[in-house]
Amino acid sequence: MIVEMAPMEGITNYIYRLAFARWFGGVDRYFTPFLSPNQHHSFQTKEWREIEPENNHGLKVIPQLLTNDAEHFLWAVGVIAERGFDEVNFNLGCPSGTVYSKKKGSGLIAEPDMLDRVLDEIFNGNEKAEKPLRISVKTRLGKEDPDEFIRILEIYNRYPLSELIIHARVRTEFYKGEVHRDRFAYAIENAKAPLSFNGNLFTAEDVNAVAKDFPTAYAVMLGRGMLADPSLARQLQGGAGLTKEAFIGFHNELLTQNKAMLSGDAQLLHRMKELWPYWHLMFTNGRKYWKEVRKATRLSAYEATASRMFERESLLAGAHFSEYPDY
């Protein structure tokens, strides 16, 4: 099966992707955190960086778009095509309250008639574009009932999706609890597009179970599980597991590259702290150091804490993310 890196806002940007590929690899397809095209036909500076060719060299990268406006989507298709990409992904799964309230992400699939209209306009416009791109979709099952997916899939089947990535939860579940594997099984039987399974894939055993249960699935998409064990994709490709030396090198490269990009301790600390809910799970006494990292207000304090953990603690055998710890 194809192995994909999930788009995670604030984490899996181009700095992370390039460092990850150098230190670990094993990923076939990388998806950018969502880009938000708007009425001004522009992106934020950080979004432009995500689609610059030099920031994606050597990687298969798919830009992801978040919008509910077909015209904005098609403008983005044009500028993304100019930069040499051949595919975009439509975010129809983000459960964030601010996104949902604007009828974007999972908020758009809560409005099936609007979803159908937007997709119709997007695919008609893309067909007429100077450089049409393949269009994939990342979706949830619905707003609050997994059975909503029956109608949503009927809509998706009307369009030539290059791939349908299914996070098998509804919006109200966010990232909690078990995924609805029965709804993915329904998609296997009824979807026209190639399918990717996303959700609660924390170990190689989890991924192998999906491959066994759904042998016709095209891909798996890894998110939190691969943050907590960056070697997970490599292991799935037959490579080595995580080593402390490799993780330290990866951490230090991320820190150095983000120092060069971000202004001041506050921005840099915010970026690095977002990774520690996953990273601390790998180390003995990791909880202690995560607490110290969360309290750090200066880069020097952060670096001292990270150095102590790297020097004093060991990797935990079989450590992985399952749920956010209750502390």
Side-chain angles (χ1 to χ4, degrees), residues 103-115:
K103 298 184 179 180
K104 298 179 182 179
S106 62
L108 185 51
I109 62 173
E111 305 284 343
D113 291 338
M114 181 179 179
L115 171 66

Side-chain angles (χ1 to χ4, degrees), residues 1 19 109 133 135 183 201 205 224 227 260 273 301 307 322:
M1 299 173 77
I109 62 173
L133 300 183
I135 299 173
R183 294 295 85 187
L201 298 176
E205 290 74 19
R224 296 169 296 167
L227 292 180
K273 286 180 180 182
S307 294
S322 58

Side-chain angles (χ1 to χ4, degrees), residues 145-165:
D145 185 342
D147 287 343
E148 295 170 35
F149 186 63
I150 295 172
R151 183 180 181 194
I152 293 169
L153 184 59
E154 289 176 351
I155 294 171
Y156 292 151
N157 280 343
R158 296 171 192 162
Y159 302 99
L161 307 183
S162 60
E163 180 182 1
L164 179 60
I165 304 158

Side-chain angles (χ1 to χ4, degrees), residues 54 62 72 77 101 161 173 211 272:
E54 62 267 26
I62 296 90
H72 299 166
V77 164
S101 65
L161 307 183
E173 293 171 318
M272 299 304 292

